[in-house]
Amino acid sequence: MPISWFLALRFLREGRMQSVLIVAGVSVGVAVMVFLSALIDGLQTSLVAQTLGTQAHVVVRPPDEVARPLRRPEAGVAVAARVEQTAQRARSIVGWQQVVTALAAMPGVTEVSPVVTGPAVALRGNATRAVVLYGVDPERFGRIYPVRQRMVAGRFDPTSTSCVIGRELAVDLGVAVGDRVRLAAVGGVGDVYLVAGVFDLGNREVNRRWVVVSTRAAQTMLDLVGGVSSVDLRVRDLFAADAVAADVTARTGLVADSWMKTNAQLLVALRSQASSSQMIQFFVILAVAMGIASVLVVSVVQKGKEIGILRAMGTARSTVLRVFLLQGALVGLVGSVLGTALGAGLGAAFAASARNADGSPTFPITVSLALVARSAGVAFLTGVLAAALPARRAARLDPAVAIRNG
Amino acid sequence: MAEPVVLLEGVRKSYGDKVVTEVLKGVDLRVDRGEFAALVGPSGSGKSTLLNLLGLLDRPTSGRLAIAGEETAGLDDAGLTRLRGHAIGFVFQFHHLLPGLSAAENVMMPMIAREGRTAKAMVPRAVALLDRVGLAGRADALPSALSGGQQQRVAIARALALGPPLVLADEPTGNLDTRTADQIFDVLREFNRELGVAFLIVTHDPRLAARCDRTIDLVDGAIVSDRRRTAEGAAPHR
Ligand SMILES: Nc1ncnc2c1ncn2[C@@H]1O[C@H](COP(=O)(O)OP(=O)(O)O)[C@@H](O)[C@H]1O
Ligand SMILES: [Mg+2]
């Protein structure tokens, strides 16, 4: 064993009480760090998942129609004209097949789902509800929204004769799987559809409004035969959705809205949560560092005589330096191992206690390997840095003075 | 080897920047291999200061200092540490053992310091040295479990761990009772006779000084007398 290890271990063993206390202190600090990070990560993950359960990461649609004057005003000529803006109509993305192929080929994009969507009404008996009609390819739609996993009755099987609706709408209309409803464009006659399934996407508004049918059925009903009104995208990196949207606009000239733009407030909340968590972690690390440093400073003062003896017996200054750095590093390391275990345990206990009525965790608390590695690394580095000052002091001790004062 | 283990010429040492106190006022001293010498003198005369200089724990203000034939003036800190490591063993008034280390580990400490690491082979050597100072079987004891005399024996074994040509002892029996002091003195004498290690022992006890081959008298920072006995005085007794 190298001399610095030998001495560091013996010193730690000798000051057993101090060592135990400071390791405990570091452990608690690291546990707080790990638990807090896991908690906030879990909270954010579940918030984002909840939001994105009913939203595509990016929605691509045709640009808004803008009325332009037929005559451009020439220099020196005043034109008395008022440009009346039109109401927006349901329009198709021009050449949408090529657009879909191009979008699917983009590096950040993982799933692409063309959608035909527009306002409609659902009727049964004397109940009438305004709804949003979605004509989709079930396969592709299912890869963007977790609707298959969220069926509460029947199957997710929208066709030309059957539809899938949300739970609230089913209650409003008083229908169940196997019943029929009439779906029509606003002012149109429409058709009767079989209710093939009922979903619960965890959002009342969505459950009350969404009616999913096949692409063809929606095209017919909304007078968009052969076209699609928008394309939903799923991207690889959630928080790069902004960049992907900008890229889509640059490539296709279409309007692309990312979830980050539509949920700006949520994003601000997530960011401020993240920064307050970082702040707390910073102060915890500071407290840990000061704890380690103060214990080692005291130890250097107490061990002044012993350090002098070691030096008198031919121990190099650099060795003395390393002995104290190692003590800090070991305390940091052991503390971080215990601390991450404690933090993970706390997280598991918390997840177990905070459950929904159906027994599923309110939100997932996952202590990732990366988090553990990062906390351990930070604690280790903190230990070394905190030990640096006392270690330098120890190495500078004059052996003669140390012995004389003994 | 003809070169002396200690060679001092005109060594001076003063302390302080504003109020300068000169503690050593020009000391000339030569100690040869195998000598067994006492350094005596009133308290505050500079004995410990002189020993610190010889032990390379401190540097003279001026004058020449050579240890085991090596001039120390040109050595840097690392050079002093190296020379101290292989040429000098220390025994202090207060044993100065490391409280966190066992007796054997304390004895091994100079070996560990020299090699830069612990090694299995060091243990039997440490145990053998502990045997020689009469501590067979106490190798694993912590210093706190040993009596004052036993602790000082461990310190002596430690001073001899690397077989240095010179051992410096600052009042090694200063806080021991007479009987224990005699025993400790015997141990030092044995090492001197059997291994030819030179000893320079600071003592206030005229009885013990009388048992040395040579008595160096330091008064007020200067050597006032340096007497050699031609024949050994009282035989070691127990
Ligand atoms: N580091 C120092 N700074 C100032 N004065 C010192 C220092 N070390 C020793 N002295 C002084 O030098 C004198 C001799 O001390 P010392 O060598 O310990 O004497 P002894 O060991 O013979 O009793 C004393 O007056 C002491 O106060
Ligand atoms: Mg003294």
Side-chain angles (χ1 to χ4, degrees):
Chain A
M1 198 190 314
I3 179 171
S4 41
W5 279 87
F6 174 73
L7 289 173
L9 290 174
R10 285 296 185 276
F11 281 3
L12 284 174
R13 190 184 69 180
E14 187 195 344
R16 206 164 301 142
M17 197 59 200
Q18 275 174 7
S19 307
V20 166
L21 278 178
I22 189 60
V23 164
V26 174
S27 303
V28 170
V30 172
V32 167
M33 260 168 70
V34 167
F35 175 65
L36 212 69
S37 300
L39 191 72
I40 286 180
D41 277 4
L43 205 65
Q44 299 207 336
T45 308
S46 92
L47 267 177
V48 169
Q50 226 164 48
T51 306
L52 296 182
T54 55
Q55 277 184 29
H57 296 174
V58 177
V59 178
V60 183
R61 58 184 173 83
D64 288 336
E65 286 179 304
V66 182
R68 287 183 300 273
L70 284 173
R71 286 192 55 178
R72 287 185 164 280
E74 288 157 35
V77 179
V79 177
R82 190 175 127 80
V83 179
E84 223 24 90
Q85 295 296 341
T86 68
Q88 300 295 317
R89 301 170 292 154
R91 280 166 309 122
S92 174
I93 293 174
V94 181
W96 66 269
Q97 283 92 344
Q98 288 94 308
V99 169
V100 165
T101 316
L103 291 176
M106 279 176 60
V109 176
T110 54
E111 303 292 345
V112 179
S113 165
V115 181
V116 181
T117 181
V121 286
L123 309 102
R124 180 177 184 258
N126 50 11
T128 307
R129 289 290 181 272
V131 297
V132 181
L133 196 66
Y134 279 88
V136 304
D137 171 351
E139 239 359 272
R140 294 182 143 176
F141 186 76
R143 279 189 237 126
I144 301 247
Y145 302 97
V147 62
R148 277 180 205 288
Q149 301 89 281
R150 300 284 178 81
M151 296 305 290
V152 291
R155 293 186 306 123
F156 182 70
D157 187 20
T159 65
S160 302
T161 56
S162 63
C163 62
V164 179
I165 62 175
R167 193 166 63 181
E168 266 73 10
L169 184 59
V171 172
D172 285 356
L173 296 175
V175 295
V177 172
D179 290 346
R180 283 160 205 285
V181 293
R182 175 173 291 275
L183 297 177
V186 180
V189 180
D191 260 314
V192 173
Y193 289 78
L194 183 77
V195 176
V198 176
F199 58 76
D200 177 7
L201 282 175
N203 178 319
R204 269 170 200 284
E205 199 49 30
V206 167
N207 290 346
R208 183 162 281 143
R209 297 264 168 222
W210 286 18
V211 174
V212 185
V213 295
S214 74
T215 309
R216 190 168 296 274
Q219 283 172 337
T220 312
M221 228 183 301
L222 297 172
D223 197 16
L224 262 178
V225 175
V228 304
S229 39
S230 62
V231 180
D232 288 350
L233 303 183
R234 198 179 175 81
V235 298
R236 184 161 294 123
D237 178 4
L238 260 185
F239 292 92
D242 253 357
V244 173
D247 199 13
V248 167
T249 303
R251 286 184 194 214
T252 61
L254 298 168
V255 175
D257 291 329
S258 73
W259 73 273
M260 299 167 81
K261 186 174 158 198
T262 24
N263 298 277
Q265 264 185 324
L266 173 67
L267 214 61
V268 169
L270 291 182
R271 293 220 167 104
S272 54
Q273 245 177 27
S275 63
S276 65
S277 140
Q278 275 162 7
M279 190 116 100
I280 293 171
Q281 293 191 24
F282 172 77
F283 283 112
V284 168
I285 290 170
L286 203 65
V288 165
M290 292 197 294
I292 293 178
S294 65
V295 164
L296 287 177
V297 165
V298 169
S299 163
V300 166
V301 172
Q302 284 176 341
K303 291 208 163 1
K305 192 178 78 177
E306 294 177 46
I307 293 164
I309 302 160
L310 283 170
R311 299 269 296 116
M313 281 183 312
T315 307
R317 262 181 210 284
S318 59
T319 304
V320 175
L321 187 76
R322 250 177 289 134
V323 167
F324 282 87
L325 286 180
L326 257 173
Q327 289 186 67
L330 284 171
V331 164
L333 207 64
V334 174
S336 70
V337 168
L338 294 179
T340 41
L342 188 64
L346 270 178
F350 189 86
S353 68
R355 282 187 183 280
N356 291 324
D358 62 358
S360 65
T362 323
F363 47 85
I365 293 191
T366 45
V367 179
S368 67
L369 210 64
L371 177 61
V372 169
R374 200 188 58 200
S375 316
V378 164
F380 173 78
L381 270 183
T382 305
V384 173
L385 291 181
L389 204 78
R392 279 166 55 104
R393 233 182 111 154
R396 286 224 192 99
L397 275 183
D398 182 346
V401 172
I403 288 172
R404 192 171 30 243
N405 295 343
Chain B
M1 267 175 283
E3 88 225 2
V5 280
V6 170
L7 188 62
L8 297 189
E9 280 174 14
V11 165
R12 291 172 181 278
K13 178 69 184 176
S14 11
Y15 288 112
D17 304 324
K18 295 199 180 104
V19 191
V20 180
T21 18
E22 189 162 54
V23 179
L24 295 180
K25 301 166 178 166
V27 175
D28 299 307
L29 180 65
R30 176 191 170 113
V31 178
D32 284 308
R33 289 186 187 248
E35 278 201 81
F36 198 71
L39 179 62
V40 299
S43 181
S45 58
K47 303 184 294 294
S48 294
T49 302
L50 180 58
L51 234 59
N52 282 345
L53 294 185
L54 294 178
L56 308 178
L57 295 175
D58 214 346
R59 288 174 189 270
T61 308
S62 68
R64 178 183 171 203
L65 168 57
I67 297 295
E70 194 165 340
E71 295 296 335
T72 60
L75 293 178
D76 63 2
D77 220 60
L80 289 182
T81 300
R82 178 189 49 74
L83 180 57
R84 184 192 308 136
H86 79 79
I88 301 162
F90 290 94
V91 181
F92 305 96
Q93 172 175 5
F94 302 100
H95 58 83
H96 284 331
L97 297 178
L98 299 182
L101 272 55
S102 71
E105 284 170 343
N106 265 292
V107 175
M108 282 157 60
M109 209 46 237
M111 310 182 214
I112 296 171
R114 185 176 66 180
E115 300 299 326
R117 51 174 31 297
T118 58
K120 288 244 156 46
M122 294 170 182
V123 179
R125 174 150 170 74
V127 171
L129 277 164
L130 285 173
D131 274 359
R132 289 209 50 168
V133 297
L135 283 176
R138 303 308 309 269
D140 293 327
L142 288 178
S144 52
L146 300 173
S147 71
Q150 287 174 322
Q151 290 174 345
Q152 198 58 295
R153 286 162 193 264
V154 176
I156 293 168
R158 178 179 66 183
L160 289 154
L162 294 178
L166 171 68
V167 170
L168 303 170
D170 197 351
E171 302 186 38
T173 59
N175 61 340
L176 299 177
D177 60 72
T178 317
R179 216 171 84 86
T180 316
D182 278 341
Q183 287 168 358
I184 294 296
F185 213 77
D186 291 343
V187 171
L188 298 180
R189 195 51 155 156
E190 268 171 49
F191 277 113
N192 168 251
R193 288 241 173 77
E194 289 169 28
L195 304 177
V197 181
F199 281 83
L200 186 60
I201 304 165
V202 174
T203 181
H204 282 126
D205 187 340
R207 221 168 36 81
L208 294 177
R211 287 175 57 192
C212 294
D213 302 339
R214 177 181 175 189
T215 304
I216 302 155
D217 207 344
L218 193 70
V219 176
D220 201 13
I223 293 177
V224 293
S225 88
D226 188 349
R227 300 178 305 268
R228 270 168 222 275
R229 239 175 304 289
T230 38
E232 161 88 19
H237 57 269
R238 280 184 198 257

